[in-house]
């Protein structure tokens, strides 16, 4: 008996008692299943929540649900009837419930039940049934896998465009599955989407919020030279996901042949893309073309917001036009021209002693990143902040500034000694922020170097005593570290510790002494 006749026969039964009992029993199973998957109490779930749970899940989540339901902890299939699929053909079964139960039947541990479910799926095309058929294309039983492939071929033209587009993330995930036939998949699934009748679905994919979907649609459309009435290369270059734009640039490079003008136009548009990766690669592509870049077109790129673009533009300017980009960055800084902050970031990597004053001027400019660039450039030029400048930076704070400052202290490029620490702690012009951040900086010193500084620190005022007590407590918290300690340094620390006995809290004295004696 054909599937259509079988379906008609069951439909003619009307409210088939067996089908009704099956639907009622399995809806109870579905309720337990949804409660298990969603970690909600089954009794608290409404009927519509139970029936709409699976259809509301994204495709990749359905993939995970299928794998989880087939796990040994699954409560679902223990009392699932082996002949239950035929009852789902009855017209009295709620469509949402039927879709969910067919999806679950297609994942049954018994291959015969999975095959039976696959045979009826085309009679009820939809999001869940298409998902069930696609998942079974990676089935471990060859007969089930072949049945799934046939079912997918029948379902694709029957499903709404919205359902096919919505399920495509699952299609992309299936491409990497070892048990899926690559040749069949390219021809019958991806090929179906690339046919002329599927153009509307393909356009929807190009506008998808899901970057892998856009990437697949644009890549395949370009390679198949499909005409969609859109400038796909321009869309790709300007996409927020740089991987899509990179593919478009590779496509332009490989497909344009000797059309240098066409490549130049596409690469030039890439110089204004939002992604710095695309701007940098577009600049590289232009530099490879004869006459693709002029000096005037390079100069603005020296002030690009991306370090990669600035560096590449500087390299090209120096090698092709024998001009030092550093002079352009200095000129921009000296005149406070627009994009001066980008010039500062670029010059910081190439700063020389003559740039010391330039960098110090920018240490007080608002913005943690700007100050961090100025500090980096100052150190690169061979200088370092004086006590007042360091106190100002510590007072301003912010991770963008303090993180590189800690690295510089750790590397010994910004010095920390008793005199500097005493000066900053005693400043009346700073709040508690600067001394607090100063304590954090001390943690970047060598373990014993930090202790030596603290034991030498004079506590002549109440303010310095309070700060010192907190700094000693910080050190004690890390006193269990094992850091090599020479005999001379050990004796020096013991002598200094004994001299501070009256000023240290007893518990701190004991902890520090124990730490030294362990070495």
């Amino acid at each position: 008996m054909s599937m259509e006749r079988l379906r008609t026969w069951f439909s003619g039964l009307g409210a088939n008692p067996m089908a009704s009992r099956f639907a009622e029993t399995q809806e109870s199973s579905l309720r337990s299943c949804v409660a298990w998957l969603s970690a909600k109490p089954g009794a608290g779930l409404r009927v519509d929540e139970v029936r709409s749970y699976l259809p509301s899940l994204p495709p990749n989540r359905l993939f995970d649900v299928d794998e989880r339901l087939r796990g040994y902890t699954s409560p679902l299939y223990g009392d699932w009837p082996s002949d239950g699929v035929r009852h789902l053909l009855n017209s009295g079964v709620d469509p949402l419930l039927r879709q969910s139960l067919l999806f679950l039947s297609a994942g049954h541990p018994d291959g015969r039940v999975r095959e039976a479910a696959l045979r009826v799926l085309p009679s009820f095309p939809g999001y869940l049934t298409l998902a069930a058929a696609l998942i079974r294309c990676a089935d471990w039983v060859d007969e089930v896998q072949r049945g799934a492939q046939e079912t997918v071929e029948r379902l694709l033209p029957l499903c709404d465009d919205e359902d096919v587009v919505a399920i495509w993330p699952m299609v992309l995930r299936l491409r990497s599955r070892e048990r899926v036939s690559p040749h069949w998949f390219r021809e019958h699934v991806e090929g179906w989407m690339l046919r002329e009748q599927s153009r509307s679905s393909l356009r929807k994919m190009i506008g998808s919020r899901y970057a892998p979907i856009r990437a697949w649609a644009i890549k395949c459309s370009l390679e198949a030279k499909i005409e969609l009435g859109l400038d796909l290369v321009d869309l790709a270059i300007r996409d927020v996901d740089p991987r899509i734009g990179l593919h478009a640039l590779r496509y332009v490079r490989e497909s344009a042949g000797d059309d240098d003008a066409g490549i130049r136009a596409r690469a030039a548009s890439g110089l204004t893309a939002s992604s710095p990766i695309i701007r940098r690669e577009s600049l590289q592509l232009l530099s490879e073309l004869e006459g693709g870049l002029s000096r005037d077109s390079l100069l603005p790129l020296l002030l690009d917001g991306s370090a990669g673009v600035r560096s590449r533009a500087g390299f090209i300017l120096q090698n092709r036009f024998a001009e030092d980009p550093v002079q352009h960055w200095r000129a921009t800084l000296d005149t406070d021209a627009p994009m001066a902050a980008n010039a500062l970031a670029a010059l910081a990597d190439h700063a020389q002693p003559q740039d010391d004053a330039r960098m110090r001027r920018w240490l007080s400019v608002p913005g943690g990143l700007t100050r961090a660039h100025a500090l980096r450039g100052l150190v690169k030029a061979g200088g370092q902040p004086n006590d007042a400048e360091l106190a100002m930076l510590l007072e301003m704070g912010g991770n963008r500034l303090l993180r590189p400052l800690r690295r510089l202290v750790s590397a010994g490029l910004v010095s920390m000694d008793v005199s500097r620490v005493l000066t900053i702690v005693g400043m009346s012009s700073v709040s508690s922020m600067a001394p607090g951040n100063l304590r954090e900086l001390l943690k970047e010193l060598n373990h014993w170097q930090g202790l030596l500084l603290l034991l030498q620190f004079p506590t002549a005022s109440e303010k310095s005593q309070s700060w010192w007590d907190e700094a000693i407590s910080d050190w004690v918290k890390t006193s269990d570290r094992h850091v090599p300690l020479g005999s001379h340094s050990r004796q020096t620390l013991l002598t200094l510790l004994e001299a501070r006995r009256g000023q240290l809290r007893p518990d701190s004295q004991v902890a520090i002494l124990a730490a030294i004696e362990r070495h």
Side-chain angles (χ1 to χ4, degrees):
M1 183 181 291
S2 71
M3 184 56 61
E4 286 72 17
R5 291 179 62 192
L6 186 64
R7 183 180 179 187
T8 302
W9 183 69
F10 273 110
S11 299
L13 294 179
N16 186 304
M18 289 181 64
S20 299
R21 283 196 299 274
F22 170 79
E24 183 178 336
T25 302
Q26 296 318 112
E27 182 159 19
S28 176
S29 297
L30 178 61
R31 175 179 293 275
S32 300
C33 171
V34 171
W36 180 62
L37 290 169
S38 63
K40 294 181 179 179
L45 291 168
R46 301 189 310 272
V47 171
D48 61 314
E49 286 183 295
V50 172
R51 295 183 178 183
S52 64
Y53 179 75
L54 289 176
S56 69
L57 293 180
N60 285 330
R61 179 80 174 95
L62 288 174
F63 218 126
D64 298 335
V65 164
D66 176 78
E67 292 182 345
R68 190 177 174 194
L69 288 175
R70 287 187 284 104
Y72 72 94
T73 59
S74 170
L76 181 63
Y77 296 114
D79 58 352
W80 195 277
S82 59
D83 62 343
V85 171
R86 66 187 181 91
H87 296 304
L88 295 176
L89 295 168
N90 186 276
S91 60
V93 179
D94 177 82
L96 267 182
L97 175 61
R98 180 192 287 117
Q99 286 267 326
S100 295
L101 294 179
L102 283 173
F103 178 87
L104 297 176
S105 298
H108 197 281
D110 189 333
R112 291 166 296 183
V113 176
R114 297 199 301 278
E115 277 193 278
L118 286 168
R119 283 195 293 270
V120 305
L121 293 185
S123 300
F124 306 101
Y127 173 73
L128 268 186
T129 50
L130 180 57
L134 283 167
I135 290 171
R136 295 277 68 81
C137 288
D139 200 274
W140 59 96
V141 177
D142 291 343
E143 291 79 2
V144 176
Q145 188 181 119
R146 285 193 293 271
Q149 291 175 354
E150 294 172 5
T151 300
V152 168
E153 291 176 30
R154 294 175 60 192
L155 272 172
L156 279 172
L158 297 174
C159 290
D160 293 338
D161 285 355
E162 289 76 10
D163 289 334
V164 178
V165 173
I167 211 68
W168 216 253
M170 180 181 288
V171 170
L172 300 187
R173 183 170 175 177
L174 277 167
R175 296 167 80 204
S176 61
R177 288 292 171 123
E178 188 176 337
R179 286 193 293 266
V180 174
S181 166
H183 175 75
W184 173 84
F185 202 79
R186 282 193 300 271
E187 182 177 351
H188 294 284
V189 180
E190 296 181 298
W192 186 88
M193 183 56 71
L194 298 176
R195 63 187 190 139
E196 188 170 350
Q197 298 92 315
S198 301
R199 293 294 189 262
S200 62
S201 296
L202 198 56
R203 287 192 190 92
K204 290 176 183 175
M205 288 185 177
I206 288 170
S208 171
R209 291 180 297 176
Y210 187 49
I213 295 293
R214 296 197 306 275
W216 180 88
I218 291 176
K219 177 178 180 291
C220 291
S221 298
L222 286 173
E223 291 176 352
K225 301 190 184 316
I226 293 174
E227 181 55 55
L228 293 173
L230 302 168
D231 189 339
L232 292 178
V233 173
D234 186 66
L235 281 175
I237 287 174
R238 301 191 178 283
D239 196 277
V240 294
D241 188 326
R243 292 171 295 183
I244 299 175
L246 287 175
H247 176 79
L249 289 176
R250 283 194 296 269
Y251 171 80
V252 167
R253 189 195 303 257
E254 294 166 3
S255 64
D258 296 329
D259 182 15
D260 284 359
I263 298 175
R264 188 179 296 110
R266 294 300 192 180
S269 71
L271 292 178
T272 59
S274 60
S275 167
I277 298 174
I278 299 303
R279 297 200 300 275
R280 186 192 65 210
E281 293 306 308
S282 297
L283 177 57
Q284 177 62 29
L285 182 55
L286 281 171
S287 71
E288 295 171 1
L289 299 175
E290 186 67 31
L293 278 172
S294 66
R295 175 185 177 278
D296 290 342
S297 65
L298 268 178
L299 294 182
L301 298 175
L302 292 174
L303 302 176
D304 191 273
S306 163
V309 177
R310 293 193 303 266
S311 176
R312 175 65 62 181
F315 176 82
I316 296 171
L317 184 69
Q318 193 157 33
N319 283 269
R320 189 166 298 181
F321 299 97
E323 287 188 37
D324 187 357
V326 171
Q327 299 305 326
H328 292 277
W329 292 323
R330 284 178 180 143
T332 302
L333 280 180
D334 291 344
T335 58
D336 287 330
M339 312 299 286
N342 292 342
L344 172 70
L347 183 58
D349 292 325
H350 304 272
Q352 298 170 1
Q354 61 179 293
D355 298 309
D356 185 282
R358 290 187 180 92
M359 296 302 162
R360 291 186 190 277
R361 184 168 68 89
W362 281 80
L363 283 177
S364 58
V365 173
L369 187 58
T370 299
R371 298 184 195 117
H373 289 320
L375 178 62
R376 178 166 51 89
L378 178 60
V379 172
K380 179 73 174 179
Q384 61 172 291
N386 58 38
D387 294 349
E389 289 167 339
L390 182 58
M392 175 186 65
L393 297 178
L394 292 172
E395 179 72 10
M396 291 172 176
N399 281 334
R400 280 188 162 184
L401 173 60
L402 294 180
R403 192 180 296 116
L405 180 55
R406 286 195 293 267
R407 286 197 296 266
L408 291 171
V409 169
S410 179
L413 297 173
V414 171
S415 65
M416 298 294 293
D417 55 30
V418 174
S419 174
R420 163 165 282 191
V421 172
L422 184 61
T423 299
I424 295 174
V425 170
M427 283 182 175
S428 59
S429 59
V430 297
S431 68
S432 60
M433 177 74 73
N437 286 330
L438 180 61
R439 283 170 35 218
E440 293 299 315
L441 276 191
L442 292 187
K443 296 176 184 178
E444 300 301 324
L445 297 175
N446 172 275
H447 190 56
W448 303 116
Q449 182 186 358
L451 179 60
L452 178 65
L453 186 151
L454 290 174
L455 292 178
Q456 292 175 332
F457 182 84
T459 53
S461 67
E462 183 179 341
K463 184 177 182 182
S464 61
Q465 178 71 47
S466 174
W467 180 89
W468 184 69
D469 288 340
E470 292 179 338
I472 286 289
S473 296
D474 291 341
W475 192 94
V476 168
K477 290 174 184 176
T478 62
S479 62
D480 57 349
R481 292 182 188 173
H482 180 77
V483 180
L485 178 62
S487 58
H488 177 73
S489 298
R490 183 176 185 274
Q491 187 56 50
T492 300
L493 290 173
L494 287 172
T495 302
L496 289 171
L497 179 63
E498 182 60 29
R500 305 301 292 263
R501 178 180 291 276
Q503 297 171 291
L504 283 166
R505 290 194 294 262
D507 57 334
S508 297
Q509 176 89 20
V510 171
I512 295 172
L513 179 60
I516 297 172
E517 289 183 340
R518 279 197 299 270
H519 295 76

